[in-house]
Amino acid sequence: MQLHFAPLQGYTTAIYRKLHHATWGGVAQYYTPFVRIEKGGFRNKDIADIAPHNNTDTPVIPQMLPRDAQELQQITLLFLENGYTHADINMGCPFPPVALHKRGSGILPYKEMVEQLLQATTRYPEMQYSVKMRLGWENRNEWKELIDILNATRLTHITLHPRIGRQQYKGNVDMEAFEEFAQHCNHPIIYNGDVNSIADIQKLQALYPQLSGIMMGRGLLARPYLSTLLTGDLKPSNAEIIEQTFAFHNALFETLQATSQGETQLLQRAHALWEYFLPHAPRKERKAVVKSHSATQYQQAVEKLFTSWLSQDMGDEIF
Ligand SMILES: Cc1cc2nc3c(=O)[nH]c(=O)nc-3n(C[C@H](O)[C@H](O)[C@H](O)COP(=O)(O)O)c2cc1C
């Protein structure tokens, strides 16, 4: 069973993916945050994020957020020009500004739109496609109207997040609906949603041995080392994990320093990293990091956090 790293706009940037892969390994596929058409063209940051020179030595599938066949075509050509042979189609994004324009999970109630979109993939036999989706936008049965179309489309796999778009990330994942989807879907399935620990992964593996893989998002941002524990032959000690996490953070921070315009932006970006990173680290020290007012204060607080963490018995929380 493969482990995939979910696309997370604003977090899993090219440099993050590269550093994660180099530091920890264990992830079979990373996905780029979605590439979309804005005012007829591409956003510069999207082009930079998928540029081959920024993605060397990392297994990357670029993701697209098309609304119709024409956009799918435009984005497919961009990916092909950049040397990619696999594209992921986003039919899961729940954010209202996206979904209310019938993109992401907002396209799911519109069977004809989905059909036309997926039909357009047949124009590019040189490109492999996968789909990342939710159960629906308004209700948990919308996928039932689409399953024949999905099954008839040439896809490498479907990643299913078993919530509806309207839920955003609230409420529980709907495992009953997931099972029903899996029974009707002919494609390999990757499960996504609320997988946060080694125990969560093992539970899914035991319940669904036929799964092709598991995609983790926020859980891997929180505990980026989990991928190495799943696949590596050598099991690092807790202290080694923390030391490596410190080094991983510092490498990320260096790239932020090199690419930020001024200290305010640097701090903003560094603080944003901690929205999901290491929620289980010592509380007082973590608070000092996110409340720091200068780059120096930030770095001192981070160093203190890791030193203090190393001196404690971390127990099983780390996993
Ligand atoms: C901040 C944020 C940004 C996201 N960006 C994307 C995106 O660009 N493309 C996408 O398909 N999903 C995106 N997602 C959804 C995640 O890929 C994933 O499906 C979701 O977080 C649920 O998985 P998790 O519980 O393992 O985090 C985003 C989620 C969050 C919280």
Side-chain angles (χ1 to χ4, degrees):
M1 200 182 285
Q2 291 192 340
L3 182 66
H4 290 194
F5 206 141
L8 295 132
Q9 196 82 228
Y11 294 91
T12 56
T13 55
I15 189 68
Y16 184 96
R17 300 188 299 265
K18 204 178 165 72
L19 276 173
H20 185 274
H21 188 60
T23 310
W24 311 107
V27 169
Q29 290 295 346
Y30 293 80
Y31 295 75
T32 71
F34 59 71
V35 172
R36 63 176 295 181
I37 308 283
E38 229 176 52
K39 297 181 189 139
F42 298 111
R43 300 179 293 188
N44 287 338
K45 74 171 181 115
D46 289 348
I47 293 186
D49 192 65
I50 64 152
H53 64 271
N54 288 330
N55 288 282
T56 46
D57 306 322
T58 316
V60 173
I61 299 178
Q63 189 191 60
M64 56 166 78
L65 182 75
R67 182 182 142 106
D68 54 29
Q70 205 258 324
E71 287 191 357
L72 180 132
Q73 185 167 347
Q74 211 176 333
I75 308 175
T76 297
L77 291 174
L78 174 78
F79 289 174
L80 286 170
E81 276 163 25
N82 281 277
Y84 292 98
T85 54
H86 189 148
D88 189 62
I89 303 173
N90 181 322
M91 297 205 296
C93 182
F95 295 117
V98 166
L100 294 175
H101 286 98
K102 301 183 182 151
R103 289 194 169 84
S105 66
I107 201 175
L108 297 172
Y110 303 97
K111 187 176 172 180
E112 276 176 23
M113 281 186 76
V114 172
E115 190 158 24
Q116 280 171 20
L117 183 70
L118 294 180
Q119 178 64 31
T121 61
T122 59
R123 294 182 205 158
Y124 301 97
E126 68 275 44
M127 185 62 108
Q128 293 191 307
Y129 291 92
S130 51
V131 164
K132 179 167 181 280
M133 62 183 283
R134 291 189 174 224
L135 298 167
W137 163 247
E138 286 288 352
N139 79 67
R140 69 203 281 265
N141 291 318
E142 283 166 23
W143 64 270
K144 292 182 184 169
E145 293 293 318
L146 308 175
I147 194 70
D148 289 344
I149 301 167
L150 290 162
N151 281 339
T153 307
R154 183 179 52 89
L155 297 174
T156 57
H157 62 270
I158 294 181
T159 306
L160 185 70
H161 179 83
R163 282 192 171 94
I164 57 168
R166 285 263 191 225
Q167 270 183 285
Q168 307 276 328
Y169 295 99
K170 295 186 207 89
N172 291 329
V173 282
D174 188 340
M175 295 315 284
E176 196 185 309
F178 174 76
E179 283 172 25
E180 205 183 346
F181 181 93
Q183 276 162 18
H184 289 86
C185 178
N186 294 342
H187 299 294
I189 297 180
I190 310 269
Y191 173 85
N192 167 248
D194 299 5
V195 180
N196 294 313
S197 64
I198 297 278
D200 289 347
I201 294 169
Q202 286 168 344
K203 198 167 133 194
L204 279 168
Q205 281 176 327
L207 272 174
Y208 309 112
Q210 73 282 18
L211 269 186
S212 290
I214 293 172
M215 176 190 274
M216 284 178 80
R218 293 162 298 171
L220 263 184
L221 290 181
R223 293 171 167 80
Y225 48 80
L226 285 186
S227 58
T228 207
L229 301 178
L230 284 173
T231 49
D233 294 334
L234 295 173
K235 296 287 173 239
S237 65
N238 284 4
E240 281 166 338
I241 289 172
I242 291 171
E243 274 158 13
Q244 255 177 297
T245 308
F246 188 27
F248 174 66
H249 166 276
N250 291 346
L252 266 178
F253 185 70
E254 264 174 40
T255 69
L256 294 184
Q257 274 179 315
T259 54
S260 296
Q261 258 106 47
E263 194 169 11
T264 310
Q265 192 190 31
L266 171 64
L267 268 184
Q268 253 171 12
R269 292 168 74 191
H271 288 160
L273 181 74
W274 289 84
E275 272 172 43
Y276 292 103
F277 193 44
L278 307 176
H280 48 306
R283 190 173 300 179
K284 199 171 98 229
E285 285 79 359
R286 195 177 186 284
K287 202 166 164 192
V289 171
V290 298
K291 297 257 180 241
S292 56
H293 292 298
S294 69
T296 312
Q297 220 182 57
Y298 172 86
Q299 280 173 295
Q300 284 166 352
V302 168
E303 188 161 354
K304 200 163 163 205
L305 177 144
F306 281 101
T307 313
S308 153
W309 204 10
L310 269 172
S311 69
Q312 293 176 17
D313 171 26
M314 309 98 187
D316 285 345
E317 258 219 343
I318 200 160
F319 308 119

